[in-house]
Amino acid sequence: MSSDNQLANKSQAWSALFSEPMSDLVKRYTASVDFDKRLWLADITGSLAHAEMLTAQGILSAEDHAAIQRGMAQIRSEIEAGTFEWKLDLEDVHLNIEARLTELVGIAGKRLHTGRSRNDQVATDVRLWLRSEIDELTKLLTGLQVALVDVAEKNAEVILPGFTHLQVAQPVAFGHHLLAYVEMFARDAERMTDLRRRVNRLPLGAAALAGTSYPLDRERVARTLGMEGVCQNSLDAVSDRDFAIEFTSAATLVMVHISRMSEELILWMSQSFGFIDLADRFCTGSSIMPQKKNPDVPELARGKTGRVVGHLMGLITLMKGQPLAYNKDNQEDKEPLFDTVDTLRDTLRIFAEMMGGLTVKPEAMERAALRGYATATDLADYLVKKGLAFRDAHEIVAHAVKTAIGTGVDLSQLPLAELQKFDARIEADVFEVLSLRGSLNARNILGGTAPVQVRAQVARHRERLSA
Ligand code: ARG
């Protein structure tokens, strides 16, 4: 076999060392091209940076460099046009592209791999690919926050029962409730930005595991690729996937936040709550029950959270028993990573859109807030301001609530004379305190639910998100 088509027939001839071809089953088992072809652009980008540096270092001739650039441009257009022929026999994205390059430009294609191994190549590709996905996801996180802030602003005065233990606790502004999620997604975006720095480091130059004897300029490659630095230990560079785990962990938190929000949307849309409605385009009907409109999108998002959590567990487990340095185990990092990115991207897009189509039902929310003695704490605070110790006030109000429950009315519906039986210091101004709106306005503290505070937070978020 001529050395030129050796790569194209890799399964028969890894090298002269092998005396029998790989079985078809093993070929399928070990190949990754079906999924890792997704890394093609990163692979070409990394190769071009490597070739440029090899040339600058005098390791590659200008003619070879030009041939590689020409060949890669051709490969790029073939892949974009969908005419590139991916071969399972060539195992993965790296060998497929390299073989085609050699087919197109001859010996220059074979020189590209000087001072490089697929081990540092794949680690570089995954990092480059993930970096650009992180950038897109960060933008989508911003988009979702903006959508939530829009709804929050419109609902800064709308009163919702706030819950603890899913029991009515105190009234809160619906806008305030939504801004809680904005905080979560803001931290998620912050995490992405932070971990991006650790993703964005260059493994190339580590070669198979020990570095290389060629005088490579690793810093130059890092600069060309817009990376923040080079991995400082060759063994670590080719073997660790902690950057992928860290990303998946941050992605898991995004999904956990999405899942909590989903759970609330589902509850709120149920007949028992009736707080909101989702636009029809995010729901489905039932094939048997004509009256049904189901919140499928939040339900699926809650379900898909499990899938991303699973990917995190998969990646952590993948890493835990591996001795240094590269092991083929690491080929298994890609599918969970790809699926995590895809799930996150679609979910964030849909949720931002869904927020735009949210119908809020303020009367239903307010009615629910009136049902659970949500202003009992306000009465206790009122008594404290009249000189009682909080614990005593708490006890007095508990008696008042018991009486109100007995007669089936809200505290604010008890006559003044009745209220005064619990404490003589109660006066007519108590009714403002016992109103939902009074309770809301009273929580005029940084981070509190008073509508002025909600508006201040909306303004802060808008400024932050437009920066
Ligand atoms: N497809 C491989 C992966 O994803 C590329 C690296 C292969 N390296 C090796 N020494 N077999 O990890």
Side-chain angles (χ1 to χ4, degrees):
M1 185 183 306
S2 87
S3 58
D4 260 343
N5 60 16
Q6 212 164 22
L7 248 188
N9 291 295
K10 182 185 71 72
S11 57
Q12 279 98 51
W14 253 118
S15 73
L17 189 67
F18 287 66
S19 54
E20 59 173 1
M22 199 182 250
S23 84
D24 280 345
L25 182 57
V26 173
K27 210 184 284 174
R28 259 191 293 122
Y29 193 72
T30 54
S32 55
V33 64
D34 281 348
F35 51 85
D36 71 13
K37 61 183 173 207
R38 188 167 169 169
L39 296 173
W40 70 269
L41 185 57
D43 195 69
I44 292 179
T45 308
S47 286
L48 288 174
H50 180 66
E52 191 262 345
M53 176 276 297
L54 288 179
T55 313
Q57 296 298 98
I59 302 167
L60 209 64
S61 71
E63 296 89 290
D64 283 344
H65 185 209
I68 288 170
Q69 286 178 312
R70 178 163 38 80
M72 286 301 198
Q74 165 80 17
I75 291 171
R76 186 183 174 139
S77 58
E78 286 176 8
I79 296 174
E80 280 169 347
T83 57
F84 188 92
E85 199 192 330
W86 297 101
K87 297 181 183 141
L88 194 75
D89 271 354
L90 288 170
E91 195 179 316
D92 59 22
V93 60
H94 323 292
L95 296 178
N96 267 272
I97 290 180
E98 193 185 327
R100 179 68 182 139
L101 181 69
T102 302
E103 221 170 76
L104 288 169
V105 307
I107 189 131
K110 293 203 221 170
R111 291 197 173 117
L112 170 64
H113 212 49
T114 311
R116 189 176 73 168
S117 153
R118 272 189 301 154
N119 296 352
D120 57 347
Q121 185 178 0
V122 68
T124 303
D125 289 5
V126 175
R127 285 168 182 267
L128 284 175
W129 172 83
L130 187 56
R131 180 182 73 180
S132 70
E133 297 298 330
I134 288 172
D135 291 343
E136 188 185 348
L137 291 172
T138 307
K139 279 192 205 121
L140 291 173
L141 278 167
T142 300
L144 177 55
Q145 290 176 72
V146 169
L148 282 166
V149 169
D150 287 345
V151 187
E153 184 167 36
K154 288 193 200 103
N155 292 278
E157 304 269 355
V158 169
I159 295 176
L160 171 89
F163 297 96
T164 60
H165 313 269
L166 207 57
Q167 308 285 318
V168 171
Q170 291 173 356
V172 295
F174 185 51
H176 189 57
H177 193 106
L178 292 177
L179 290 184
Y181 286 103
V182 174
E183 293 291 334
M184 296 178 223
F185 295 125
R187 285 195 299 279
D188 288 330
E190 211 175 292
R191 264 186 283 275
M192 289 292 171
T193 306
D194 183 51
L195 70 92
R196 185 191 191 277
R197 292 187 298 120
R198 286 178 290 281
V199 171
N200 200 20
R201 289 176 192 162
L202 181 76
L204 277 181
L209 76 162
T212 175
S213 56
Y214 297 97
L216 305 189
D217 185 349
R218 300 187 63 209
E219 301 281 359
R220 181 185 180 116
V221 179
R223 273 197 307 279
T224 308
L225 293 174
M227 290 185 133
E228 289 179 36
V230 303
C231 300
Q232 298 286 327
N233 179 291
S234 62
L235 297 164
D236 176 49
V238 293
S239 65
D240 208 339
R241 296 292 182 266
D242 61 353
F243 67 90
I245 294 173
E246 201 180 343
F247 165 77
T248 309
S249 151
T252 298
L253 282 173
V254 175
M255 288 305 291
V256 166
H257 294 149
I258 286 278
S259 188
R260 297 183 68 191
M261 191 162 99
S262 297
E263 172 69 8
E264 298 206 308
L265 293 170
I266 294 161
L267 283 174
W268 292 342
M269 203 177 117
S270 72
Q271 284 71 18
S272 318
F273 282 78
F275 290 177
I276 57 145
D277 205 8
L278 295 176
D280 289 355
R281 62 184 182 283
F282 300 103
C283 301
T284 61
S286 156
S287 53
I288 176 167
M289 297 167 283
Q291 85 284 11
K292 293 277 274 185
K293 178 175 156 185
N294 300 325
D296 284 41
V297 166
E299 289 174 67
L300 254 183
R302 193 176 53 186
K304 283 175 189 288
T305 303
R307 169 181 183 136
V308 175
V309 171
H311 293 326
L312 175 61
M313 293 308 122
L315 288 172
I316 289 176
T317 312
L318 173 68
M319 206 69 246
K320 75 170 272 296
Q322 285 193 51
L324 290 178
Y326 176 86
N327 301 284
K328 185 79 165 181
D329 310 42
N330 281 339
Q331 183 164 291
E332 287 288 308
D333 65 353
K334 289 170 200 66
E335 287 162 294
L337 204 53
F338 293 166
D339 188 69
T340 297
V341 165
D342 292 342
T343 305
L344 216 60
R345 186 198 304 110
D346 291 351
T347 306
L348 289 173
R349 266 198 205 138
I350 293 179
F351 269 65
E353 237 186 83
M354 197 164 62
M355 288 305 118
L358 191 74
T359 305
V360 179
K361 301 180 175 171
E363 306 77 29
M365 290 183 181
E366 198 160 329
R367 232 179 296 124
L370 279 170
R371 272 202 306 262
Y373 302 94
T375 58
T377 315
D378 296 273
L379 180 56
D381 290 340
Y382 173 87
L383 292 172
V384 168
K385 282 167 198 151
K386 299 269 180 184
L388 267 79
F390 184 77
R391 281 291 161 231
D392 295 332
H394 185 279
E395 180 68 16
I396 288 169
V397 176
H399 285 295
V401 169
K402 197 169 178 187
T403 302
I405 290 172
T407 44
V409 296
D410 184 55
L411 282 177
S412 61
Q413 292 167 315
L414 290 174
L416 182 58
E418 186 73 25
L419 285 167
Q420 285 171 332
K421 285 187 197 155
F422 298 105
D423 192 283
R425 277 161 283 198
I426 296 178
E427 292 170 86
D429 61 351
V430 77
F431 292 107
E432 167 62 14
V433 168
L434 286 174
S435 74
L436 294 177
R437 192 134 318 269
S439 168
L440 209 66
N441 288 333
R443 279 156 181 79
N444 186 5
I445 183 161
L446 177 66
T449 192
V452 280
Q453 293 291 340
V454 175
R455 292 218 171 75
Q457 292 290 343
V458 164
R460 183 179 68 81
H461 287 303
R462 285 217 187 283
E463 168 136 14
R464 177 177 69 73
L465 291 164
S466 65

